[in-house]
Amino acid sequence: MSTTQVSEAVDSGESGAGKSSGAAILRRVLVRNRGPLAIGTVLVCLHQLAETAVPISIGVIIDRAIETSDTTTLVVSICALGALFLVLTAAWRFGARFIVTAMQQEAHRLRLEVAHRVLDPRGVHTNLRSGELLTVSTSDAEQASWIADIVPRAAAALTAAVASAVALLWIDVTLGLAVLIGTPVILGLLQLSAPLITSRATGKQASIARASAMATDLVSGLRPLRGIGAEKSASDRYRGASREALASAVHTAKATAVYTGVSATVSALLAVGIAGCAGYFALQGRISVGELITVVGLAQFFLEPLGLLASLPGYFAVARASSDRLALVLDADPILTPGSVTETPGYDLTLEGLQFRSLGGVDLHCDAGELLGVVAYQPQDAEALATVLSGQPGAHEYRGSVRIGGISLQDMDLALARRTVLVEPHLTDLFGGSLGSNLAAGAGDAQSSDLGEVLAASAAADVVDSHPHGLDLEVTDRGASLSGGQRQRVALARALLTKAPVLVLHDPTTAVDAVTEASIAAGIAELRHSGTALHTTILITSSPALLAATDRVVVLDGGVVVAQGTHAELAHHDTDYRGAVLR
């Protein structure tokens, strides 16, 4: 299955829409791979039947050819034995190919399902951090796909056990009963420890995921950590998390090792007991020499499927633990419930009684085409306002209303909401790739003239011109290869290039110098508020250069609007405003 086919299956819900537990995910893996797994299972079972037939054939050859000195029978029997080896080899090769292919494709599907769920425009309710999500989408997806290998192996091992028991029953009822009774008793006793292994495997995966999340946070925040000299403190925290993950992994490995050792020992004792009884029966004349060799061969061969049956619960426990963690993401409820409105008559913005985090009831109106400045004396108010305008919080997370063109943001279709309002947060990320691909990430159909305009307006043209490769300059993950000011300007250019009808910029120039900041303020005003376009722009900032370019400024203090007017009026008459902005 190609990536496109898998993506289409995920989008259409074929990959399992709705609620499901870890067990349901494992069942779904088996159901959607039933074709290849059925073929693979039949072939590996045939392989085990052929393996079981080998010691039986050798015993028959000894009784019917060697003891009777029948050369013709010996030659025919050896040829038949060679054909048997050919069958078992081919059955294993092609059976394993079907099973491994299904397992790898399933791991790929599960990774895509997790990515699709995480990237769902409606958001996802989960307490997992980005590093934990990375672990779920990689190692947990891989380990959950093991069920596609566990079931065929279990079927093949059971086939070998039943075939060996039938052969031993044919030779001697006592030997056959020993296998038929001893095998389920051993497996039943060993199965009692499966919940413990599952619990420890789940704990191990969780601790590893926490360590991965912390490592992701440290790597992304390495530069600020160095700036404040907190490398040692961060290193100590990660060392603690890593040690916890190591202890959990060792704890799980010990339990698994004890389980494996006990299962191997008990299986070996059963096989030795069968071989010993067969030797005693041969001395009594109850079985022939060929039958004795068959029993000894079967007892030795029987160790492998019995050991496999004994170890499979441990592997199943790991697969189940990983599937449970997958369910945390795949079953998570969406944050947003999209509305049905697909068009808005205008782009004026109205907030009424908005209560969210530190906001205590904000009433605010921004006309279509207005360049509005918002000054928040408390940084948490600015962050809360930007977050709620981004449309990320669900309807149950805030009170009041947010309307665009008179249409509530909650009533809008997600596609309409996303193309109407764009919020560029204060802390932005760039992607690994070229500078040009980062700029065009949200506006793939932008013209070259548009690109030139936004580069000039955001002062990002200097970033492009300062490198020989220009727009082909390679940008590392999160834009770490650029300075803070360069990242801000590129991110601003990317936002401007989308031509969003309502654009919210939160502190877009904190890392640039005053001259560049003044140039950017003029550029934003010229690009979005000259001519006939009714673009609405909200600048959440305390920069006097940006505020001077606005049509009006609204001041937030204590989570409510306390003042509004032009920047010049507020700076002249409002002492608090002057102290916060003109410092």
Side-chain angles (χ1 to χ4, degrees):
M1 178 178 283
S2 67
T3 302
T4 302
Q5 290 172 316
V6 173
S7 299
E8 290 174 353
V10 171
D11 290 333
S12 63
E14 295 174 11
S15 297
K19 290 293 182 182
S20 62
S21 63
I25 289 175
L26 296 183
R27 286 194 297 270
R28 191 171 77 238
V29 169
L30 297 176
V31 169
R32 64 186 178 191
N33 291 280
R34 56 187 178 274
L37 289 182
I39 298 173
T41 300
V42 169
L43 289 174
V44 295
C45 288
L46 176 60
H47 165 79
Q48 289 293 351
L49 287 174
E51 287 271 22
T52 307
V54 170
I56 298 173
S57 301
I58 293 174
V60 170
I61 291 172
I62 291 174
D63 282 343
R64 297 186 179 181
I66 295 179
E67 285 196 358
T68 60
S69 301
D70 188 338
T71 305
T72 302
T73 302
L74 179 62
V75 171
V76 173
S77 298
I78 291 176
C79 290
L81 188 61
L84 186 61
F85 273 103
L86 181 63
V87 170
L88 70 87
T89 301
W92 173 256
R93 176 180 178 183
F94 291 104
R97 177 178 294 180
F98 276 102
I99 293 168
V100 172
T101 299
M103 184 172 63
Q104 294 301 320
Q105 286 186 338
E106 188 55 41
H108 174 60
R109 289 189 187 100
L110 291 173
R111 287 193 294 268
L112 285 178
E113 284 185 32
V114 174
H116 181 268
R117 189 68 191 90
V118 170
L119 297 175
D120 191 323
R122 298 172 300 171
V124 55
H125 267 302
T126 176
N127 294 325
L128 299 177
R129 293 185 294 174
S130 57
E132 292 176 294
L133 292 172
L134 178 63
T135 301
V136 170
S137 66
T138 52
S139 64
D140 283 317
E142 183 75 25
Q143 291 171 356
S145 71
W146 288 358
I147 193 66
D149 184 51
I150 290 171
V151 171
R153 284 182 180 272
L158 285 171
T159 299
V162 172
S164 299
V166 170
L168 291 173
L169 278 171
W170 183 267
I171 295 171
D172 188 274
V173 174
T174 303
L175 297 176
L177 289 176
V179 174
L180 287 176
I181 296 174
T183 300
V185 170
I186 291 172
L187 294 178
L189 292 174
L190 292 173
Q191 185 65 25
L192 295 176
S193 62
L196 173 62
I197 296 177
T198 301
S199 175
R200 291 191 176 180
T202 303
K204 181 193 75 171
Q205 288 297 97
S207 60
I208 291 174
R210 286 193 295 270
S212 298
M214 189 171 292
T216 302
D217 292 342
L218 290 177
V219 171
S220 60
L222 187 57
R223 182 176 293 182
L225 287 172
R226 286 174 175 169
I228 62 176
E231 300 100 314
K232 186 179 185 304
S233 176
S235 177
D236 290 342
R237 287 185 60 203
Y238 177 72
R239 187 178 292 108
S242 183
R243 284 175 177 168
E244 180 184 346
L246 174 61
S248 180
V250 171
H251 201 46
T252 304
K254 285 181 179 179
T256 305
V258 170
Y259 176 90
T260 304
V262 171
S263 64
T265 301
V266 175
S267 302
L269 289 175
L270 178 60
V272 169
I274 293 171
C277 288
Y280 177 73
F281 292 161
L283 290 175
Q284 288 185 325
R286 287 177 57 174
I287 61 177
S288 66
V289 174
E291 290 173 331
L292 172 61
I293 292 175
T294 295
V295 172
V296 173
L298 286 174
Q300 185 176 8
F301 161 73
F302 187 64
L303 282 173
E304 180 183 350
L306 185 57
L308 181 59
L309 285 172
S311 65
L312 284 180
Y315 289 106
F316 177 78
V318 174
R320 176 59 191 272
S322 289
S323 68
D324 286 340
R325 287 179 56 76
L326 283 168
L328 293 177
V329 179
L330 300 181
D331 293 351
D333 292 323
I335 296 174
L336 304 177
T337 302
S340 57
V341 178
T342 57
E343 294 292 338
T344 178
Y347 299 115
D348 57 298
L349 172 68
T350 302
L351 308 181
E352 287 187 355
L354 180 62
Q355 298 179 36
F356 177 70
R357 295 180 184 170
S358 62
L359 301 180
V362 174
D363 294 311
L364 182 153
H365 180 77
C366 179
D367 291 327
E370 185 177 8
L371 177 54
L372 178 69
V374 176
V375 175
Y377 291 160
Q378 288 80 35
Q380 61 267 29
D381 289 348
E383 184 66 35
L385 180 61
T387 300
V388 77
L389 290 178
S390 70
Q392 295 177 12
H396 62 283
E397 296 183 60
Y398 66 89
R399 295 182 179 180
S401 66
V402 179
R403 298 198 303 273
I404 308 292
I407 306 298
S408 173
L409 197 59
Q410 299 174 12
D411 295 334
M412 289 185 178
D413 173 76
L414 278 178
L416 173 63
R418 293 294 186 262
R419 70 170 179 265
T420 301
V421 184
L422 173 64
V423 176
E424 185 68 17
H426 172 53
L427 298 176
T428 60
D429 285 327
L430 300 182
F431 309 105
S434 69
L435 200 58
S437 66
N438 269 279
L439 290 169
D445 57 348
Q447 303 297 319
S448 58
S449 58
D450 296 332
L451 182 59
E453 290 176 352
V454 299
L455 288 175
S458 62
D462 294 342
V463 181
V464 177
D465 296 340
S466 63
H467 294 277
H469 295 99
L471 292 174
D472 294 327
L473 173 69
E474 284 298 315
V475 178
T476 58
D477 188 35
R478 295 179 178 270
S481 57
L482 301 177
S483 69
Q486 290 176 327
R487 283 199 302 274
Q488 275 195 335
R489 283 179 281 169
V490 171
L492 175 58
R494 181 177 61 188
L496 293 173
L497 193 58
T498 64
K499 297 182 179 180
V502 179
L503 178 63
V504 181
L505 302 174
H506 181 199
D507 283 331
T509 58
T510 54
V512 301
D513 59 80
V515 174
T516 304
E517 194 171 36
S519 173
I520 291 174
I524 293 175
E526 173 67 23
L527 182 66
R528 291 185 56 84
H529 298 275
S530 64
T532 59
L534 292 178
H535 288 139
T536 302
T537 307
I538 299 175
L539 295 174
I540 305 175
T541 182
S542 59
S543 163
L546 293 179
L547 294 170
T550 62
D551 301 320
R552 182 167 56 99
V553 177
V554 172
V555 180
L556 298 179
D557 187 16
V560 297
V561 175
V562 295
Q564 58 180 308
T566 66
H567 170 65
E569 291 170 349
L570 291 171
H572 181 70
H573 298 291
D574 193 322
T575 305
D576 292 335
Y577 179 85
R578 188 164 54 248
V581 172
L582 303 178
R583 57 182 184 272

